[in-house]
Amino acid sequence: MAQQLNLLSTGQVITTALHTEMQRSYLEYAMSVIVGRALPDVRDGLKPVHRRILYAMHELGLTPDRPYRKCARVVGDVLGKYHPHGDQSVYDALVRLVQEFSSRYPLLAGHGNFGSVDNDPPAAMRYTETRLASVSHEGMLAEIGEETVEFIGNFDNSQQEPTVLPAQLPFLLLNGCAGIAVGMATNIPPHNLGEIVDGLIALIDNPDLTDEKLFALIPGPDFPTGGEIVGNSGIREAYTTGKGGIVLRGVATLEEIPPTRGSKRRTAIIVTELPYQVNKAGWIEKVADLVNQGRLHGISDLRDESDREGMRVVIELKRDTNPQEVLQHLYHQTALQTTFGAILLALVDGQPRQLSLRQMLQEFLNFREHTLNRRYSYELGKAENRVNLVAGLLKALSNLDEVIAILRQAADGSTAKTTLCRRLDLSDVQADAILSMPLRRLTSLEQQNLQQEFDNLNEQITSLRRLLEDRGELLKSLKKDLRTLKRKYSDSRRTKILTLSETPIPQEKGKTQTEENSKSQIQNPKSEQPPEEAILEFTQRGYVRRLSPTGKKPKAENGLHENDFIIQTELTDTEQDLLILNTGGKVYPVKVGDIPATTGRSPRGTPLITMLTSTAQANVEAIISRFVLPASFETTQMVLLTKQGRIKRLALEEFANLSRRGITILKLKDDDELSFTEFTTTGQHLILASSGGRLLRFAVNEEQLPVMGRAAMGLQAFRLVKNQQMVGCVTVGKDDQLLLVTQEGYAKRMPASNLRAANRGDLGIQLLKFHNKTDYLAGMVRAMPGAEVALVTNKERVVRIPVDSVPMLDRDAKGESVLQVNRDEKIIHVVEVRV
């Protein structure tokens, strides 16, 4: 029988208490999970697996200008070189970096099936392909080869991997992050790139910036799937303490379903956006289950009409069902309204910390400043080494005969090197460069190139030393880089932030005004009552008042907001559609009968924007025209003029029988917008005005301005000078007068007949000269005798002046002062007042 080993007597076993060993082992495991797996680094916003994926793809050369490569190849490189874990975990992380509904700014571009918002699984990695996205290639990896970050050995010390990537943008805030560690978790919402860059620049300029000003620049998260944030209290709590609940809703609008044979009109709730990370298919299944269980009433049909153009879930309601009540039940019983629990937790110097928004931004700025110092030091070292070599080459070329004599007389290379160093006062490195210099460098052209390189290197060294020695210059460079990235990759906000006053929340006693307005949108009076006449009054601040010609109504401007006034009046009936045009070139219809009647209790009227669908409501300040189709629309057309001077004549038949979703009537370039609309008929004359004071008049006919379709972009109406834009468009008759007002408060009247007719596309005639070089034309309107115009400044000051008080002057006059503007104040709108 073998003798039993006495392990305790060998001294190789250390006795320890069980609870002590458990505590130590569990703490090591917990820290390994926290630091090496679950939490992102505050500097580049990445977990180790994401960082390794991006670096492996950079090593493979999968840049945005190269072809896609199979994801299996990428996963294999990541596993073999840097991340010794399961291949499925790496592929799942890679997929999320591609999905546009998961990341606000995806770091990878994908080719193939990478899943969907319905929680469909992605295709296997052997089928899908990927490469780096432009934003990650430029904003995350562009400086990786310039010794900007530290490198460490991988798991077997066969490769080197970066401890952090030299991010030029705070991707932790841009794309957000979610992770569950041991005893802690992080859940950071995504944000808008443009807003974050503005906040960073503001903190650079003023480190003591107040929270109010910072939150004005960064109002809240911006989720990739859109949605609406209800209230800002949760946002403020999360931004100041690092933890808070943000109430997030999907976007739902109400539409009328056209009647089929034997049925009547019904209302439907249309869901076009869901809260972030809500599974659409799962949500639809949940709604169907609630209906089947009898817990959700009033729904007759539920279907998914989503396609490549976007999400569209239709919830048809039964007759006599209150849509707003159903919508509130959907908010409370389903994921149509969720609470995003924000926890701003990240690794700072290897330690998990819960940070405020300001601290996150400041940590990134500190890292970026450190990265730039390392980058510029590296570039300076390279430039100094190179200039030293070039200086040696130039010295050799200036003493070429002596160098050749030394080389001829030298027995070997070592002797030649020693002689060169002694006789020409060169360093060993310079001597080696001269000895390895090819003969073609002896030509005069190569000598000029060397001298040019020497001068450029000295300039570069001076610039780099200034950046390294002057922190102000370094911060200027940092801001320049941020603005460049903002111009390239910033886009408009997708998530709308609603204040509580804008939110239709039901109350136990009575209902909110928004709910009453929403109900009036649905309960179409024309189906139950005959149409009745109505007067619509539109105000400068965006309100609409629906009045009855026979009923008691408030006086013209009684009850309006301060500085508000009526700018347009329409006589119509409740059967007609009011058409609303925005600067994006889209038109939306609103049934006149759906506009709440204005009473003595609400003399201000209804905000016109609340009558539109949620998609249209994104352009709150962008409504430029509202009208009811005239009775003679067969002979009348509409002229559309953009800010950059493109013009189109459109037949009014294009506006008939529109759906609530609206249509696009003018295609625009990215940096252009619709600015003016005018009704016209063939034979009339149009006058256009530019901010430089030039006016152009031409006839409306098929030769000058042909009628076009909705898909056309229009023709160039005006040859604009650089940095100028269109500021006026009017249809004029024989005896009409024009009123011109400049930004600095100078104005004049003149007969329209003073402007001779020309051709569309001309430069126009200078009809207004300015008192100051900094002044521009603010607006041009028809000068109706006895009328008033309102001058609206950028400081929200409104001054009304009689048209007759403006002097009638000739074409060469500069105009007289009608409004004394303050410093940094200028007139931005000239509006006709209708009384």
Side-chain angles (χ1 to χ4, degrees):
M1 183 176 178
Q3 185 178 2
Q4 186 175 5
L5 294 175
N6 186 4
L7 297 176
L8 296 177
S9 63
T10 65
Q12 300 298 316
V13 177
I14 301 174
T15 58
T16 182
L18 178 61
H19 72 277
T20 303
E21 178 60 22
M22 291 293 292
Q23 287 176 355
R24 186 185 63 81
S25 298
Y26 190 79
L27 183 60
E28 288 178 357
Y29 162 74
M31 289 306 298
S32 174
V33 172
I34 290 169
V35 176
R37 188 182 305 174
L39 296 185
D41 195 299
V42 73
R43 297 170 292 177
D44 62 3
L46 300 176
K47 299 178 184 179
V49 63
H50 300 134
R51 189 178 300 117
R52 288 163 177 168
I53 290 171
L54 293 173
Y55 184 66
M57 294 180 66
H58 171 75
E59 289 288 281
L60 286 170
L62 301 184
T63 55
D65 57 345
R66 301 285 295 277
Y68 290 91
R69 296 285 288 274
K70 290 291 185 182
C71 291
R73 171 63 192 276
V74 176
V75 172
D77 264 42
V78 174
L79 293 178
K81 293 181 178 179
Y82 310 114
H83 199 72
H85 297 280
D87 60 346
Q88 194 58 44
S89 65
V90 174
Y91 184 54
D92 288 345
L94 185 151
V95 166
R96 283 188 60 83
L97 293 177
V98 176
Q99 293 172 337
E100 292 184 353
F101 52 88
S102 295
S103 300
R104 184 65 177 83
Y105 300 93
L107 300 181
L108 300 182
H111 188 227
N113 173 20
F114 284 89
S116 72
V117 74
D118 286 329
N119 206 26
D120 297 319
M125 67 180 81
R126 61 183 178 272
Y127 299 121
T128 54
E129 298 176 340
T130 187
R131 66 186 179 192
L132 291 169
S134 296
V135 67
S136 61
H137 175 64
E138 183 175 359
M140 187 79 79
L141 293 158
E143 301 173 353
I144 192 72
E146 298 176 344
E147 296 186 359
T148 49
V149 293
E150 295 288 344
F151 279 72
I152 59 172
N154 66 342
F155 59 90
D156 62 358
N157 282 325
S158 63
Q159 303 278 338
Q160 290 286 304
E161 64 174 315
T163 59
V164 65
L165 294 183
Q168 299 182 47
L169 289 168
F171 285 94
L172 183 59
L173 285 169
L174 297 183
N175 282 330
C177 186
I180 301 175
V182 180
M184 61 188 68
T186 184
N187 199 25
I188 301 170
H191 290 76
N192 184 272
L193 189 150
E195 294 173 354
I196 291 295
V197 169
D198 291 340
L200 288 170
I201 292 174
L203 280 178
I204 293 172
D205 293 335
N206 181 14
D208 298 323
L209 189 73
T210 63
D211 284 345
E212 285 71 23
K213 292 182 178 179
L214 181 61
F215 298 164
L217 296 171
I218 308 176
D222 189 21
F223 297 96
T225 53
E228 296 173 339
I229 296 174
V230 182
N232 53 16
S233 59
I235 299 173
R236 187 175 185 86
E237 182 182 6
Y239 281 359
T240 52
T241 67
K243 193 172 184 179
I246 300 172
V247 180
L248 186 62
R249 280 184 178 177
V251 174
T253 58
L254 304 175
E255 285 187 12
E256 271 191 352
I257 302 297
T260 57
R261 188 171 183 179
S263 66
K264 295 187 177 181
R265 293 195 177 201
R266 286 185 296 178
T267 302
I269 297 174
I270 310 297
V271 178
T272 54
E273 295 174 13
L274 284 174
Y276 184 52
Q277 295 179 330
V278 170
N279 177 353
K280 174 163 64 70
W283 176 74
I284 293 174
E285 185 178 356
K286 174 69 173 178
V287 174
D289 288 341
L290 290 174
V291 174
N292 293 333
Q293 295 170 14
R295 296 169 56 190
L296 190 57
H297 303 281
I299 295 177
S300 62
D301 191 20
L302 174 64
R303 60 183 180 274
D304 187 0
E305 296 181 356
S306 305
D307 56 20
R308 291 179 180 271
E309 295 182 1
M311 183 185 299
R312 179 178 168 87
V313 180
V314 180
I315 304 173
E316 284 192 20
L317 305 181
K318 298 177 181 178
R319 290 187 62 198
D320 303 324
T321 297
N322 184 345
Q324 204 63 36
E325 183 178 345
V326 175
L327 193 56
Q328 295 304 321
H329 283 297
L330 288 172
Y331 287 146
H332 294 142
Q333 298 184 53
T334 74
L336 189 59
Q337 176 174 304
T338 62
T339 300
F340 185 94
I343 306 173
L344 309 186
L345 184 74
L347 295 175
V348 181
D349 297 328
Q351 300 294 322
R353 280 182 54 194
Q354 185 171 303
L355 306 168
S356 66
L357 175 67
R358 177 189 296 273
Q359 289 171 329
M360 276 195 165
L361 296 173
Q362 195 59 55
E363 287 291 340
F364 171 77
L365 289 176
N366 295 341
F367 167 66
R368 185 66 186 138
E369 187 175 349
H370 175 70
T371 304
L372 286 177
N373 272 308
R374 292 190 57 151
R375 171 188 162 190
Y376 293 143
S377 298
Y378 171 75
E379 291 178 354
L380 178 61
K382 281 182 58 179
E384 287 177 340
N385 291 336
R386 180 60 186 167
V387 80
N388 182 45
L389 291 179
V390 175
L393 295 176
L394 289 173
K395 183 179 288 188
L397 292 174
S398 62
N399 298 279
L400 186 57
D401 293 336
E402 186 176 0
V403 170
I404 293 173
I406 292 171
L407 294 176
R408 282 178 176 172
Q409 298 168 9
D412 52 28
S414 300
T415 305
K417 177 180 176 180
T418 304
T419 308
L420 283 173
C421 291
R422 185 182 70 253
R423 293 174 60 177
L424 296 181
D425 192 25
L426 298 173
S427 66
D428 288 346
V429 176
Q430 289 174 325
D432 286 334
I434 292 170
L435 291 173
S436 61
M437 182 174 62
L439 291 175
R440 64 180 177 83
R441 303 300 293 269
L442 302 178
T443 63
S444 59
L445 179 60
E446 286 292 331
Q447 294 180 35
Q448 292 177 13
N449 292 340
L450 282 173
Q451 185 63 48
Q452 181 65 40
E453 183 184 2
F454 182 81
D455 295 337
N456 292 341
L457 284 169
N458 280 317
E459 290 179 7
Q460 182 183 358
I461 290 171
T462 303
S463 175
L464 289 170
R465 284 176 175 166
R466 184 173 66 252
L467 288 169
L468 290 169
E469 294 169 0
D470 187 351
R471 185 169 181 264
E473 291 296 322
L474 183 73
L475 293 179
K476 284 182 182 179
S477 176
L478 198 162
K479 290 193 294 183
K480 181 181 178 181
D481 292 344
L482 288 173
R483 291 191 179 102
T484 300
L485 291 169
K486 177 184 174 181
R487 282 195 299 271
K488 287 187 178 180
Y489 301 112
S490 179
D491 56 5
S492 58
R493 166 173 279 275
R494 298 180 188 176
T495 302
K496 185 179 179 183
I497 301 176
L498 303 176
T499 61
L500 292 178
S501 61
E502 295 175 298
T503 309
I505 301 177
Q507 301 174 359
E508 293 185 2
K509 294 184 179 181
K511 294 182 174 62
T512 64
Q513 180 64 42
T514 309
E515 183 179 354
E516 291 293 335
N517 292 348
S518 300
K519 288 184 66 176
S520 65
Q521 285 181 309
I522 317 306
Q523 296 169 352
N524 188 0
K526 78 165 191 167
S527 60
E528 305 293 339
Q529 303 173 1
E532 60 180 17
E533 289 189 335
I535 298 174
L536 298 182
E537 294 181 340
F538 303 95
T539 75
Q540 190 264 341
R541 293 178 66 96
Y543 284 76
V544 57
R545 304 203 294 184
R546 190 188 115 197
L547 311 171
S548 171
T550 58
K552 184 178 180 181
K553 54 183 180 289
K555 294 182 180 179
E557 293 180 9
N558 283 4
L560 296 184
H561 282 279
E562 184 182 1
N563 289 333
D564 202 5
F565 51 89
I566 297 167
I567 60 173
Q568 183 180 344
T569 303
E570 294 274 1
L571 178 61
T572 181
D573 63 62
T574 54
E575 189 82 40
Q576 298 295 319
D577 278 342
L578 172 68
L579 302 178
I580 299 172
L581 266 168
N582 68 10
T583 54
K586 286 201 79 170
V587 59
Y588 299 90
V590 172
K591 192 67 65 179
V592 172
D594 291 344
I595 301 173
T598 302
T599 64
R601 294 184 178 181
S602 57
R604 293 178 177 176
T606 304
L608 184 57
I609 193 66
T610 63
M611 307 303 301
L612 300 180
T613 62
S614 296
T615 304
Q617 288 185 25
N619 298 310
V620 174
E621 299 177 355
I623 295 177
I624 62 162
S625 178
R626 76 291 303 152
F627 60 95
V628 177
L629 282 179
S632 59
F633 70 82
E634 293 85 358
T635 59
T636 305
Q637 301 92 38
M638 175 171 279
V639 170
L640 310 171
L641 179 67
T642 74
K643 182 174 66 174
Q644 293 187 357
R646 297 196 71 86
I647 194 168
K648 180 168 82 169
R649 186 160 58 127
L650 190 68
L652 294 186
E653 288 90 341
E654 302 283 2
F655 296 96
N657 302 319
L658 302 183
S659 68
R660 288 287 305 278
R661 299 175 70 178
I663 60 170
T664 299
I665 59 165
L666 179 63
K667 289 192 175 181
L668 297 164
K669 295 181 180 179
D670 292 340
D671 52 351
D672 202 4
E673 63 183 37
L674 182 60
S675 297
F676 301 97
T677 64
E678 276 283 308
F679 287 112
T680 185
T681 57
T682 302
Q684 288 187 310
H685 278 223
L686 277 177
I687 294 183
L688 313 181
S690 74
S691 55
R694 288 186 171 272
L695 274 65
L696 176 66
R697 176 175 181 166
F698 59 89
V700 177
N701 53 44
E702 281 299 313
E703 181 181 355
Q704 292 282 358
L705 194 60
V707 176
M708 297 182 173
R710 290 204 308 255
M713 293 185 67
L715 305 168
Q716 195 64 35
F718 205 107
R719 280 197 292 153
L720 284 170
V721 180
K722 188 178 179 181
N723 298 327
Q724 293 186 9
Q725 62 187 35
M726 306 307 299
V727 296
C729 173
V730 295
T731 306
V732 294
K734 181 180 178 181
D735 299 323
D736 283 342
Q737 297 176 0
L738 301 176
L739 173 64
L740 308 176
V741 183
T742 75
Q743 293 181 354
E744 296 183 0
Y746 295 93
K748 76 173 182 179
R749 279 189 298 158
M750 56 173 288
S753 56
N754 281 9
L755 182 62
R756 59 178 176 81
N759 294 319
R760 175 190 53 77
D762 288 352
L763 185 60
I765 300 174
Q766 191 75 38
L767 288 185
L768 180 65
K769 295 183 179 179
F770 302 101
H771 288 264
N772 302 310
K773 292 183 178 180
T774 58
D775 201 4
Y776 291 94
L777 184 61
M780 173 190 69
V781 296
R782 273 183 297 268
M784 307 297 292
E788 285 186 343
V789 294
L791 310 180
V792 184
T793 75
N794 59 341
K795 303 298 183 182
E796 298 187 357
R797 184 160 66 111
V798 178
V799 178
R800 292 165 60 161
I801 61 170
V803 169
D804 297 336
S805 67
V806 180
M808 184 79 73
L809 301 174
D810 60 32
R811 55 185 294 174
D812 295 325
K814 294 183 177 180
E816 295 187 4
S817 177
V818 294
L819 176 64
Q820 189 71 35
V821 295
N822 301 319
R823 186 178 181 183
D824 297 327
E825 186 182 29
K826 62 181 180 181
I827 297 171
I828 56 174
H829 295 301
V830 181
V831 187
E832 297 177 72
V833 180
R834 307 288 177 87
V835 182

